[in-house]
Amino acid sequence: MYGLIGKMRAARGQRDAVMDVLRASTGALPGCLSYIVATDPADADAIWVTEVWTDAESHKASLQLPEVQAAIAKARPFIAGFEFQVETHPVGGFGLADGKAG
């Protein structure tokens, strides 16, 4: 499996607008096993996104989907920046398969 954990910063007061776009665009993403959008209790403008994919190729391909491209364009004006992104290799856990695929 392939994972990403990222932190982005919404423009002041726009966190909910960005989260709404993120949540609305995560319907049918081939290869996506988990896509979690979370707030940061210590930072009113921060958004954490935790993703688990079957493989890195599925994640990369998802970025080319028309609905994902539209979501990116819709959210872009409300995003102040991206603080960091970390790649992980999930091995399983509650809500995921056992991870023997990767």
Side-chain angles (χ1 to χ4, degrees):
M1 285 188 274
Y2 175 76
L4 291 170
I5 301 172
K7 182 180 181 184
M8 71 175 72
R9 180 158 303 286
R12 185 156 311 280
Q14 297 299 316
R15 181 185 70 187
D16 290 347
V18 174
M19 289 190 321
D20 288 346
V21 172
L22 293 174
R23 290 191 320 235
S25 65
T26 58
L29 297 175
C32 185
L33 304 175
S34 178
Y35 190 95
I36 307 297
V37 179
T39 60
D40 187 323
D43 186 340
D45 296 320
I47 301 167
W48 289 89
V49 179
T50 306
E51 307 173 48
V52 179
W53 297 82
T54 54
D55 51 48
E57 293 75 25
S58 294
H59 173 259
K60 185 175 179 181
S62 76
L63 297 175
Q64 303 309 313
L65 294 171
E67 56 270 29
V68 172
Q69 288 290 314
I72 291 169
K74 186 174 182 179
R76 185 171 287 128
F78 306 112
I79 297 173
F82 296 87
E83 294 196 5
F84 69 87
Q85 186 174 47
V86 176
E87 258 184 49
T88 65
H89 295 280
V91 296
F94 185 77
L96 290 179
D98 66 11
K100 294 193 188 241

